[in-house]
Amino acid sequence: MMRERSSTALCLNSAFFGYYAHAGFVKGLTEIGFKPARVTGSSAGAMVGALYCAGVDMDELTKLMLQLKRSDFWEGNFLSQLAKPFLRGVSRYSGLLSGKKIRRLLEPYLGGLSFADLKIPLGIAVSNVTTGRRELRTNGSVMDSVLCSMAFPGLIEVQSMEDQEFIDGGVVDHEPIKELILDRGIKEIVIHMIESSSPPARSPLLRAFNSSVTIIDHETRELKNLLALQHKKKIVRIQTITEPMGPSKAHLGPDSLARGRNSALSNRNEIMRGGTSKSEKAGGKNQSAVRNVRPGSKRRQQLKR
């Protein structure tokens, strides 16, 4: 029996090829009988969130993820990709993939849908290159917003929508919850976070870049925690740690999907209580409870913010 949490929202974070774990997580949510009042998502979370809010059957969603092949979304080969900047013109080149194959892949599920057509209200985070602002899209074409939110710089071309240019929503906002915190009708927010178990990069330059992204993410997360505290909102972050994912690692998809599903099932009490965890009760204040599901382990960690 599906029980709607009229004051609980769900956020699916931005994660590189996190589609599998997010799909497993929302499948787990349906199995425990949880239905949020609102959903937000960024990048991979935007895609899975859109399919979930559109009412796509969970078995169909997991089947779509597990049957996904590189050829379903990849365009051309090494030589054609190498020639692409010169054929298009270096000044107009913005990514390896145009996104057209991804659009065709999602067309049977999201084609022609507007946000008003969705069964659950949805917000999609995008980075507006034209205005230099982060936006949460809640109207217009769902498909266009999803593709804009997935346009990871260098991988997918800058996307155009309503005469403006957009890139991946996760560039500036990994977990788009600001509007949920400010929504008076929302009391609790469940966030599914996907992290990779990859070791530190060998290159000092790459390590510095990765650390910069992590530091910015942590700082913005702390600010959101403070905003939530100010508005008396409860946040529960459920973390799933997967093996490093990428275009050539679809064979790891089933494991990532299973880990995401396990995160929902093993955190049923926290999710169905809307985030009233022991750590929150002890302090009598709004704090963030994080549950880590590590590869090969079910060890629980609760971090107080």
Side-chain angles (χ1 to χ4, degrees):
M1 177 177 167
M2 186 67 68
R3 182 158 64 94
E4 182 171 350
R5 301 285 304 200
S6 59
S7 63
T8 303
L10 170 68
C11 174
L12 303 176
N13 84 328
S14 167
F16 193 60
F17 280 78
Y19 319 108
Y20 301 98
H22 278 323
F25 187 73
V26 295
K27 179 175 174 58
L29 291 181
T30 62
E31 291 176 10
I32 65 176
F34 175 82
K35 182 180 178 182
R38 288 183 63 186
V39 176
T40 62
S42 185
S43 196
M47 190 190 88
V48 174
L51 293 169
Y52 175 52
C53 291
V56 176
D57 180 78
M58 288 299 101
D59 289 335
E60 179 68 18
L61 176 57
T62 54
K63 180 181 178 182
L64 172 65
M65 293 296 107
L66 295 178
Q67 291 183 346
L68 193 63
K69 304 184 297 296
R70 179 187 170 98
S71 59
D72 291 329
F73 59 87
W74 201 260
E75 302 166 14
N77 52 40
F78 175 76
L79 291 178
S80 63
Q81 291 292 354
L82 193 63
K84 188 175 180 180
F86 303 99
L87 294 175
R88 286 184 60 89
V90 176
S91 63
R92 295 191 301 160
Y93 178 78
S94 63
L96 293 172
L97 310 177
S98 68
K100 292 179 180 179
K101 276 196 167 185
I102 299 173
R103 182 180 289 272
R104 286 200 295 269
L105 182 70
L106 298 177
E107 183 68 30
Y109 310 98
L110 302 178
L113 289 182
S114 69
F115 282 85
D117 297 322
L118 300 175
K119 300 181 183 300
I120 303 174
L122 173 69
I124 292 178
V126 296
S127 301
N128 190 322
V129 176
T130 304
T131 64
R133 302 294 296 270
R134 169 266 198 202
E135 298 177 5
L136 192 73
R137 302 284 302 186
T138 58
N139 54 63
S141 166
V142 174
M143 177 77 84
D144 289 347
S145 293
V146 167
L147 288 174
C148 288
S149 189
M150 292 172 60
F152 188 78
L155 179 63
I156 298 178
E157 293 177 359
V158 173
Q159 300 291 301
S160 296
M161 178 171 58
E162 299 173 0
D163 297 323
Q164 293 183 323
E165 294 182 322
F166 296 86
I167 58 173
D168 195 321
V171 169
V172 293
D173 196 356
H174 285 189
E175 48 175 48
I177 62 172
K178 181 182 71 175
E179 288 80 2
L180 299 178
I181 294 172
L182 299 177
D183 186 338
R184 293 184 178 182
I186 298 298
K187 303 302 180 185
E188 302 96 18
I189 304 168
V190 174
I191 304 171
H192 184 224
M193 301 167 53
I194 302 173
E195 300 289 348
S196 170
S197 61
S198 57
R202 293 183 179 181
S203 165
L205 184 61
L206 191 54
R207 284 201 306 273
F209 174 79
N210 291 340
S211 294
S212 299
V213 172
T214 300
I215 291 168
I216 293 171
D217 186 38
H218 285 172
E219 286 298 304
T220 55
R221 189 179 303 167
E222 289 296 328
L223 291 174
K224 291 170 186 173
N225 288 344
L226 291 172
L227 184 64
L229 183 62
Q230 179 183 357
H231 288 269
K232 299 179 181 180
K233 302 296 175 73
K234 293 179 181 177
I235 296 177
V236 170
R237 289 185 172 90
I238 309 296
Q239 186 181 63
T240 300
I241 300 182
T242 71
E243 299 296 337
M245 300 298 295
S248 301
K249 296 186 177 181
H251 62 283
L252 298 175
D255 178 67
S256 293
L257 192 146
R259 293 186 188 190
R261 176 174 174 268
N262 182 62
S263 291
L265 299 181
S266 61
N267 284 279
R268 183 183 187 281
N269 290 338
E270 288 93 332
I271 294 169
M272 297 305 286
R273 285 201 304 264
T276 310
S277 69
K278 291 181 180 178
S279 63
E280 289 164 355
K281 287 181 178 178
K285 296 180 179 180
N286 178 13
Q287 297 167 330
S288 297
V290 180
R291 173 149 180 157
N292 295 334
V293 181
R294 299 183 182 279
S297 171
K298 294 183 180 180
R299 183 167 67 90
R300 177 176 177 170
Q301 278 192 331
Q302 285 189 327
L303 305 180
K304 294 185 179 180
R305 299 289 183 185

